[in-house]
Amino acid sequence: MTVGPMLDEWYPVGIFGQLDEAGRKTMLMDEPIVVARDGNGDAKVTDSSGRILPVRVRYGHVWTSLGEPKKELFAIPEADQPGRRFVDVGVVRVRCSPLRAVENFLDIAHFPFVHTDILGAEPHTEVQAYKVEIREDVDEVWATQVQFYQPQAAKSASGGITTQYMYRVAGPTSTVLYKTCPPRPSEWDVITLFVQPLAEDLCDVWPWMALFDDDTPMTDLIHFQQTIFLQDRSILENQVPRLLPLDPGMEMPTRADLTSVAYRRWLKRHNYTYGAQLVAQ
Amino acid sequence: MMKLYDYILSPSCYKVRLMAALTGVKLDLRAVDFHPGLEHRGPELLALNPAGSIPILEDGDLLLTESSAMLVYLAAKAAPGWLAGSDAEEAARVQQWLSFSGRLTASLGGARLHEMLLRPGDIGVLQSQGIAALRELELGLVEQAERGKRFLAADRPTVADIACFPYVALAPDGGVSLDPYPAIRLWSRALRSLKGFIEMPGIHRLHELKPEPQLEAGGA
Ligand SMILES: N[C@H](CCC(=O)N[C@@H](CS)C(=O)NCC(=O)O)C(=O)O
Ligand SMILES: [Fe+2]
């Protein structure tokens, strides 16, 4: 399997605050790399031949690329907004395709069944109509006007509310969601899933959040998100087939996973197929 | 109120939360940033538990750092029916499985930390030791079934069952399948249907997706 155009994209490879000079040995798309802090305190990423890879430090994490990125790392303007708290949730390894990890994050229909009594609850299983588009100017997938009833939308929510969502695919394995911020109705909470593809069927997932919540202790914010992600993990590890099918006919689209259909179409258009299964016609 | 230094994803902490829920005891939970913060290895917690592990339970002057002792304490205070009765064999079996549960923590727990949170370890060794422990537990349950008993030490659940259940139920998180163990699956269902049972991420409430495994007395 050749990596193809995904080679030139940016990927998260560690929490910046946890780097040391000894470095962290890890993988990026089957290539061994080392992520370290150099003598000046800057992040440094090298591949197995000692080549220094491009580096960005953003959103609490270190980003790199095995190729030559044609675009700057995507922007999250909320990351510079005063008053937000930034949460490094910590890595979780999942034995699944990196693309499947993103797709699951985009799918709202699983909330009542997988995140029962937190992000969803029966009988409120209906996903209302929403809007999905590929924004050509920024080359991103966006889903907007998504609404869902949630028993406990955030650590800061004190009861059930109808939550508004926007979903965004900002890179082949980077996705950002915006959701109703219970203490500040005029703002969005930002929750991301940054996925480091280790192999086509193995990934390290680095969730990160930028929230308005002055009251909840940091550890509780971390544990809220880890709880949710761990509920997904066992589902992800049991998905069949392991790789994400990129033939549009293979899995029946319902209204609930229009975003997934758009994501798959966008992956196909860019030939982003590392972690995908192309169905021969 | 008893104070538990707790981590929501820790099976050892979950043992104590589960026991408290089953016996109606309220705990004051103090969340520990185990991952990614490694707070359990920081000065405040090391002063309480030099072993650098959680759970830690505080009740007045009493400080416990072993989950099995915490289960016994909760049961003795609130629901002594969860302890061994006066029968010598039953008492020994409870103690046997309480000690055995440490092997599950070391093997299946180690495999889970390695596979999920990237903790160092020899995954092949951890998994094969986990499988050996699961086989032993399966056999123990089959033998109990032959004696007409549904749980590890008696025909009622005891602290021994709670000590062994979490790491077993979460074995798949560490890449160890539970498919080969019908007696363990039946036992897990019996525990998950107890009144007052609570979940943790990865341990789901009982739903009827899978048919009950059949276990014949005298069969394997
Ligand atoms: N003392 C044992 C320790 C239980 C245990 O191993 N706990 C894990 C968390 S589930 C731990 O603290 N590990 C320390 C580490 O991995 O750094 C007990 O109470 O059963
Ligand atoms: Fe989920």
Short mmCIF file of all heavy atoms in Angstrom, two decimals, chain B residues 36-89:
data_model
loop_
_atom_site.label_atom_id
_atom_site.label_comp_id
_atom_site.label_asym_id
_atom_site.label_seq_id
_atom_site.Cartn_x
_atom_site.Cartn_y
_atom_site.Cartn_z
N PRO B 36 -3.96 11.86 31.17
CA PRO B 36 -2.53 11.79 30.89
C PRO B 36 -1.64 12.33 32.01
O PRO B 36 -0.42 12.31 31.86
CB PRO B 36 -2.40 12.65 29.63
CG PRO B 36 -3.47 13.69 29.77
CD PRO B 36 -4.60 13.01 30.50
N GLY B 37 -2.21 12.79 33.13
CA GLY B 37 -1.43 13.55 34.10
C GLY B 37 -0.52 12.76 35.04
O GLY B 37 0.34 13.33 35.69
N LEU B 38 -0.73 11.42 35.14
CA LEU B 38 0.06 10.58 36.07
C LEU B 38 0.04 11.15 37.50
O LEU B 38 1.04 11.09 38.21
CB LEU B 38 1.51 10.42 35.59
CG LEU B 38 1.71 9.73 34.25
CD1 LEU B 38 3.20 9.68 33.90
CD2 LEU B 38 1.14 8.30 34.27
N GLU B 39 -1.11 11.68 37.90
CA GLU B 39 -1.20 12.29 39.23
C GLU B 39 -0.96 11.27 40.36
O GLU B 39 -0.50 11.65 41.44
CB GLU B 39 -2.59 12.93 39.40
CG GLU B 39 -2.70 13.78 40.65
CD GLU B 39 -4.12 14.25 40.94
OE1 GLU B 39 -5.04 13.99 40.14
OE2 GLU B 39 -4.30 14.87 42.01
N HIS B 40 -1.25 10.00 40.12
CA HIS B 40 -1.05 8.98 41.15
C HIS B 40 0.43 8.81 41.49
O HIS B 40 0.76 8.20 42.50
CB HIS B 40 -1.66 7.65 40.73
CG HIS B 40 -1.13 7.11 39.43
ND1 HIS B 40 -1.25 7.80 38.25
CD2 HIS B 40 -0.47 5.97 39.13
CE1 HIS B 40 -0.69 7.10 37.28
NE2 HIS B 40 -0.21 5.99 37.78
N ARG B 41 1.31 9.31 40.62
CA ARG B 41 2.74 9.22 40.92
C ARG B 41 3.31 10.55 41.39
O ARG B 41 4.51 10.72 41.48
CB ARG B 41 3.49 8.75 39.68
CG ARG B 41 3.05 7.36 39.26
CD ARG B 41 3.99 6.78 38.23
NE ARG B 41 3.37 5.64 37.56
CZ ARG B 41 3.64 5.26 36.31
NH1 ARG B 41 4.52 5.94 35.60
NH2 ARG B 41 3.05 4.21 35.78
N GLY B 42 2.43 11.50 41.68
CA GLY B 42 2.85 12.80 42.19
C GLY B 42 2.98 12.75 43.71
O GLY B 42 2.52 11.80 44.35
N PRO B 43 3.60 13.79 44.29
CA PRO B 43 3.90 13.78 45.73
C PRO B 43 2.67 13.60 46.63
O PRO B 43 2.74 12.87 47.62
CB PRO B 43 4.59 15.13 45.97
CG PRO B 43 4.43 15.92 44.72
CD PRO B 43 4.10 14.98 43.60
N GLU B 44 1.55 14.24 46.29
CA GLU B 44 0.40 14.17 47.19
C GLU B 44 -0.10 12.73 47.33
O GLU B 44 -0.36 12.26 48.44
CB GLU B 44 -0.73 15.08 46.66
CG GLU B 44 -1.93 15.14 47.62
CD GLU B 44 -3.20 15.71 46.96
OE1 GLU B 44 -3.09 16.40 45.93
OE2 GLU B 44 -4.29 15.44 47.50
N LEU B 45 -0.21 12.03 46.20
CA LEU B 45 -0.74 10.67 46.28
C LEU B 45 0.29 9.65 46.73
O LEU B 45 -0.04 8.69 47.43
CB LEU B 45 -1.41 10.27 44.96
CG LEU B 45 -2.90 10.61 45.01
CD1 LEU B 45 -3.14 12.09 44.82
CD2 LEU B 45 -3.69 9.79 44.05
N LEU B 46 1.56 9.89 46.36
CA LEU B 46 2.60 8.97 46.84
C LEU B 46 2.72 9.03 48.36
O LEU B 46 3.05 8.02 48.99
CB LEU B 46 3.95 9.31 46.20
CG LEU B 46 4.17 8.80 44.77
CD1 LEU B 46 5.53 9.26 44.26
CD2 LEU B 46 4.04 7.28 44.69
N ALA B 47 2.41 10.20 48.95
CA ALA B 47 2.46 10.30 50.41
C ALA B 47 1.38 9.41 51.02
O ALA B 47 1.56 8.85 52.11
CB ALA B 47 2.26 11.75 50.83
N LEU B 48 0.26 9.24 50.32
CA LEU B 48 -0.80 8.36 50.82
C LEU B 48 -0.50 6.90 50.49
O LEU B 48 -0.76 6.00 51.28
CB LEU B 48 -2.15 8.74 50.20
CG LEU B 48 -2.74 10.09 50.59
CD1 LEU B 48 -4.01 10.35 49.79
CD2 LEU B 48 -3.05 10.11 52.08
N ASN B 49 -0.02 6.67 49.27
CA ASN B 49 0.25 5.30 48.83
C ASN B 49 1.59 5.23 48.10
O ASN B 49 1.67 5.52 46.91
CB ASN B 49 -0.87 4.82 47.90
CG ASN B 49 -0.64 3.40 47.42
OD1 ASN B 49 0.23 2.70 47.96
ND2 ASN B 49 -1.38 2.98 46.41
N PRO B 50 2.64 4.84 48.81
CA PRO B 50 3.98 4.79 48.20
C PRO B 50 4.04 3.85 47.00
O PRO B 50 4.94 3.96 46.18
CB PRO B 50 4.86 4.27 49.34
CG PRO B 50 4.09 4.52 50.59
CD PRO B 50 2.64 4.43 50.22
N ALA B 51 3.07 2.93 46.87
CA ALA B 51 3.08 2.03 45.72
C ALA B 51 2.71 2.77 44.43
O ALA B 51 2.91 2.25 43.33
CB ALA B 51 2.11 0.88 45.95
N GLY B 52 2.15 3.96 44.53
CA GLY B 52 1.81 4.74 43.34
C GLY B 52 0.67 4.14 42.56
O GLY B 52 0.64 4.22 41.33
N SER B 53 -0.27 3.53 43.24
CA SER B 53 -1.43 2.99 42.53
C SER B 53 -2.71 3.57 43.14
O SER B 53 -2.71 4.11 44.24
CB SER B 53 -1.44 1.46 42.61
OG SER B 53 -1.57 1.03 43.94
N ILE B 54 -3.78 3.47 42.38
CA ILE B 54 -5.11 3.77 42.88
C ILE B 54 -5.93 2.50 42.72
O ILE B 54 -5.55 1.64 41.90
CB ILE B 54 -5.75 4.98 42.15
CG1 ILE B 54 -5.61 4.81 40.64
CG2 ILE B 54 -5.12 6.28 42.59
CD1 ILE B 54 -6.37 5.83 39.84
N PRO B 55 -7.00 2.31 43.45
CA PRO B 55 -7.68 3.21 44.36
C PRO B 55 -6.95 3.38 45.70
O PRO B 55 -6.14 2.55 46.09
CB PRO B 55 -9.02 2.51 44.59
CG PRO B 55 -8.68 1.05 44.45
CD PRO B 55 -7.67 1.00 43.35
N ILE B 56 -7.34 4.48 46.37
CA ILE B 56 -6.98 4.71 47.77
C ILE B 56 -8.29 5.07 48.47
O ILE B 56 -9.06 5.87 47.94
CB ILE B 56 -5.98 5.87 47.90
CG1 ILE B 56 -4.69 5.59 47.09
CG2 ILE B 56 -5.65 6.13 49.38
CD1 ILE B 56 -3.77 6.80 46.96
N LEU B 57 -8.54 4.43 49.61
CA LEU B 57 -9.78 4.72 50.35
C LEU B 57 -9.43 5.25 51.73
O LEU B 57 -8.61 4.66 52.44
CB LEU B 57 -10.63 3.45 50.48
CG LEU B 57 -12.02 3.66 51.10
CD1 LEU B 57 -12.99 4.27 50.10
CD2 LEU B 57 -12.60 2.33 51.60
N GLU B 58 -10.05 6.37 52.07
CA GLU B 58 -9.84 6.98 53.39
C GLU B 58 -11.16 6.99 54.13
O GLU B 58 -12.18 7.42 53.59
CB GLU B 58 -9.44 8.45 53.23
CG GLU B 58 -7.98 8.71 53.03
CD GLU B 58 -7.70 10.21 52.86
OE1 GLU B 58 -8.64 11.03 52.74
OE2 GLU B 58 -6.53 10.56 52.85
N ASP B 59 -11.13 6.52 55.38
CA ASP B 59 -12.31 6.66 56.24
C ASP B 59 -11.81 6.95 57.65
O ASP B 59 -11.36 6.05 58.35
CB ASP B 59 -13.15 5.37 56.21
CG ASP B 59 -14.52 5.60 56.86
OD1 ASP B 59 -14.97 6.77 56.93
OD2 ASP B 59 -15.13 4.61 57.31
N GLY B 60 -11.86 8.22 58.03
CA GLY B 60 -11.29 8.61 59.32
C GLY B 60 -9.82 8.26 59.36
O GLY B 60 -9.05 8.64 58.49
N ASP B 61 -9.44 7.46 60.35
CA ASP B 61 -8.04 7.07 60.52
C ASP B 61 -7.61 5.95 59.59
O ASP B 61 -6.43 5.63 59.49
CB ASP B 61 -7.81 6.56 61.96
CG ASP B 61 -7.73 7.72 62.93
OD1 ASP B 61 -7.60 8.87 62.44
OD2 ASP B 61 -7.82 7.48 64.15
N LEU B 62 -8.60 5.32 58.99
CA LEU B 62 -8.28 4.14 58.17
C LEU B 62 -7.87 4.57 56.76
O LEU B 62 -8.57 5.34 56.10
CB LEU B 62 -9.51 3.23 58.10
CG LEU B 62 -9.35 1.91 57.34
CD1 LEU B 62 -8.43 0.96 58.10
CD2 LEU B 62 -10.71 1.27 57.13
N LEU B 63 -6.73 4.06 56.31
CA LEU B 63 -6.26 4.35 54.95
C LEU B 63 -5.97 3.02 54.27
O LEU B 63 -5.13 2.25 54.74
CB LEU B 63 -4.99 5.20 55.02
CG LEU B 63 -4.37 5.56 53.68
CD1 LEU B 63 -5.21 6.61 52.98
CD2 LEU B 63 -2.95 6.07 53.87
N LEU B 64 -6.68 2.74 53.18
CA LEU B 64 -6.49 1.46 52.48
C LEU B 64 -5.96 1.71 51.08
O LEU B 64 -6.39 2.64 50.40
CB LEU B 64 -7.82 0.70 52.41
CG LEU B 64 -8.47 0.32 53.74
CD1 LEU B 64 -9.84 -0.32 53.50
CD2 LEU B 64 -7.57 -0.61 54.54
N THR B 65 -5.04 0.84 50.64
CA THR B 65 -4.47 0.98 49.29
C THR B 65 -4.63 -0.31 48.48
O THR B 65 -4.08 -0.41 47.40
CB THR B 65 -2.98 1.34 49.36
OG1 THR B 65 -2.29 0.29 50.03
CG2 THR B 65 -2.76 2.65 50.09
N GLU B 66 -5.36 -1.27 49.01
CA GLU B 66 -5.61 -2.52 48.29
C GLU B 66 -7.12 -2.66 48.09
O GLU B 66 -7.88 -2.67 49.06
CB GLU B 66 -5.06 -3.73 49.06
CG GLU B 66 -3.54 -3.79 49.11
CD GLU B 66 -2.89 -3.93 47.73
OE1 GLU B 66 -3.54 -4.45 46.80
OE2 GLU B 66 -1.73 -3.51 47.60
N SER B 67 -7.52 -2.82 46.82
CA SER B 67 -8.95 -2.84 46.54
C SER B 67 -9.66 -4.00 47.26
O SER B 67 -10.81 -3.85 47.68
CB SER B 67 -9.20 -2.90 45.03
OG SER B 67 -8.50 -3.97 44.46
N SER B 68 -8.99 -5.14 47.40
CA SER B 68 -9.65 -6.27 48.07
C SER B 68 -10.00 -5.91 49.51
O SER B 68 -11.09 -6.26 50.00
CB SER B 68 -8.76 -7.52 48.04
OG SER B 68 -8.65 -7.99 46.72
N ALA B 69 -9.10 -5.21 50.17
CA ALA B 69 -9.38 -4.78 51.55
C ALA B 69 -10.56 -3.80 51.57
O ALA B 69 -11.39 -3.83 52.48
CB ALA B 69 -8.14 -4.14 52.16
N MET B 70 -10.64 -2.96 50.55
CA MET B 70 -11.75 -1.99 50.48
C MET B 70 -13.08 -2.72 50.32
O MET B 70 -14.09 -2.34 50.94
CB MET B 70 -11.53 -1.02 49.33
CG MET B 70 -10.24 -0.22 49.46
SD MET B 70 -9.89 0.77 47.99
CE MET B 70 -8.10 0.94 48.15
N LEU B 71 -13.10 -3.77 49.49
CA LEU B 71 -14.34 -4.52 49.30
C LEU B 71 -14.78 -5.15 50.62
O LEU B 71 -15.96 -5.09 51.00
CB LEU B 71 -14.15 -5.62 48.24
CG LEU B 71 -13.70 -5.17 46.85
CD1 LEU B 71 -13.62 -6.38 45.91
CD2 LEU B 71 -14.63 -4.11 46.28
N VAL B 72 -13.82 -5.73 51.33
CA VAL B 72 -14.13 -6.36 52.61
C VAL B 72 -14.65 -5.31 53.60
O VAL B 72 -15.63 -5.53 54.32
CB VAL B 72 -12.87 -7.08 53.16
CG1 VAL B 72 -13.07 -7.50 54.62
CG2 VAL B 72 -12.55 -8.30 52.29
N TYR B 73 -14.03 -4.16 53.61
CA TYR B 73 -14.44 -3.10 54.54
C TYR B 73 -15.87 -2.63 54.25
O TYR B 73 -16.70 -2.54 55.16
CB TYR B 73 -13.45 -1.93 54.44
CG TYR B 73 -13.71 -0.81 55.42
CD1 TYR B 73 -13.67 -1.05 56.80
CD2 TYR B 73 -14.00 0.48 54.98
CE1 TYR B 73 -13.91 -0.02 57.71
CE2 TYR B 73 -14.23 1.51 55.87
CZ TYR B 73 -14.19 1.25 57.24
OH TYR B 73 -14.42 2.27 58.12
N LEU B 74 -16.15 -2.38 52.98
CA LEU B 74 -17.50 -1.93 52.61
C LEU B 74 -18.54 -2.98 53.00
O LEU B 74 -19.59 -2.67 53.57
CB LEU B 74 -17.60 -1.67 51.10
CG LEU B 74 -16.91 -0.40 50.61
CD1 LEU B 74 -16.82 -0.41 49.09
CD2 LEU B 74 -17.68 0.83 51.07
N ALA B 75 -18.23 -4.23 52.67
CA ALA B 75 -19.18 -5.31 52.96
C ALA B 75 -19.37 -5.46 54.48
O ALA B 75 -20.50 -5.56 54.96
CB ALA B 75 -18.69 -6.62 52.35
N ALA B 76 -18.28 -5.46 55.23
CA ALA B 76 -18.37 -5.65 56.68
C ALA B 76 -19.21 -4.54 57.31
O ALA B 76 -19.98 -4.77 58.23
CB ALA B 76 -16.97 -5.69 57.30
N LYS B 77 -19.07 -3.33 56.79
CA LYS B 77 -19.82 -2.22 57.37
C LYS B 77 -21.29 -2.24 56.97
O LYS B 77 -22.16 -1.93 57.77
CB LYS B 77 -19.21 -0.89 56.89
CG LYS B 77 -17.94 -0.53 57.62
CD LYS B 77 -17.69 0.96 57.59
CE LYS B 77 -18.27 1.62 58.79
NZ LYS B 77 -17.60 2.90 59.14
N ALA B 78 -21.55 -2.54 55.69
CA ALA B 78 -22.90 -2.29 55.19
C ALA B 78 -23.69 -3.53 54.82
O ALA B 78 -24.92 -3.49 54.82
CB ALA B 78 -22.81 -1.35 53.97
N ALA B 79 -23.01 -4.61 54.45
CA ALA B 79 -23.75 -5.76 53.94
C ALA B 79 -22.92 -7.03 54.13
O ALA B 79 -22.36 -7.58 53.18
CB ALA B 79 -24.10 -5.55 52.47
N PRO B 80 -22.85 -7.54 55.36
CA PRO B 80 -21.97 -8.68 55.66
C PRO B 80 -22.30 -9.94 54.85
O PRO B 80 -21.46 -10.83 54.75
CB PRO B 80 -22.20 -8.92 57.15
CG PRO B 80 -22.77 -7.64 57.68
CD PRO B 80 -23.52 -7.01 56.56
N GLY B 81 -23.47 -10.01 54.25
CA GLY B 81 -23.81 -11.14 53.39
C GLY B 81 -22.87 -11.29 52.21
O GLY B 81 -22.81 -12.35 51.57
N TRP B 82 -22.13 -10.25 51.89
CA TRP B 82 -21.15 -10.31 50.79
C TRP B 82 -19.83 -10.92 51.23
O TRP B 82 -18.95 -11.17 50.40
CB TRP B 82 -20.89 -8.90 50.24
CG TRP B 82 -22.00 -8.42 49.36
CD1 TRP B 82 -23.14 -7.80 49.75
CD2 TRP B 82 -22.05 -8.53 47.93
NE1 TRP B 82 -23.93 -7.51 48.65
CE2 TRP B 82 -23.28 -7.95 47.53
CE3 TRP B 82 -21.21 -9.06 46.96
CZ2 TRP B 82 -23.66 -7.88 46.18
CZ3 TRP B 82 -21.59 -8.98 45.63
CH2 TRP B 82 -22.81 -8.41 45.25
N LEU B 83 -19.66 -11.14 52.53
CA LEU B 83 -18.43 -11.77 53.02
C LEU B 83 -18.64 -13.29 53.07
O LEU B 83 -19.76 -13.78 52.88
CB LEU B 83 -18.10 -11.25 54.43
CG LEU B 83 -17.88 -9.74 54.53
CD1 LEU B 83 -17.77 -9.32 55.99
CD2 LEU B 83 -16.64 -9.35 53.74
N ALA B 84 -17.56 -14.02 53.36
CA ALA B 84 -17.70 -15.47 53.53
C ALA B 84 -18.52 -15.76 54.78
O ALA B 84 -18.45 -15.01 55.76
CB ALA B 84 -16.32 -16.10 53.66
N GLY B 85 -19.28 -16.85 54.74
CA GLY B 85 -19.99 -17.28 55.93
C GLY B 85 -19.06 -18.06 56.85
O GLY B 85 -17.83 -18.00 56.72
N SER B 86 -19.62 -18.85 57.75
CA SER B 86 -18.79 -19.53 58.74
C SER B 86 -18.17 -20.82 58.18
O SER B 86 -17.27 -21.39 58.78
CB SER B 86 -19.63 -19.85 59.97
OG SER B 86 -20.78 -20.58 59.56
N ASP B 87 -18.63 -21.26 57.03
CA ASP B 87 -18.10 -22.47 56.42
C ASP B 87 -16.62 -22.30 56.03
O ASP B 87 -16.26 -21.33 55.36
CB ASP B 87 -18.95 -22.79 55.18
CG ASP B 87 -18.45 -24.00 54.45
OD1 ASP B 87 -18.48 -25.10 55.04
OD2 ASP B 87 -17.99 -23.86 53.29
N ALA B 88 -15.79 -23.24 56.49
CA ALA B 88 -14.33 -23.11 56.28
C ALA B 88 -13.98 -23.09 54.79
O ALA B 88 -13.16 -22.29 54.33
CB ALA B 88 -13.62 -24.27 56.97
N GLU B 89 -14.62 -23.97 54.02
CA GLU B 89 -14.30 -24.05 52.60
C GLU B 89 -14.68 -22.76 51.88
O GLU B 89 -13.93 -22.24 51.07
CB GLU B 89 -15.05 -25.25 52.02
CG GLU B 89 -14.50 -25.69 50.69
CD GLU B 89 -15.23 -26.94 50.18
OE1 GLU B 89 -15.32 -27.93 50.92
OE2 GLU B 89 -15.70 -26.88 49.03
#
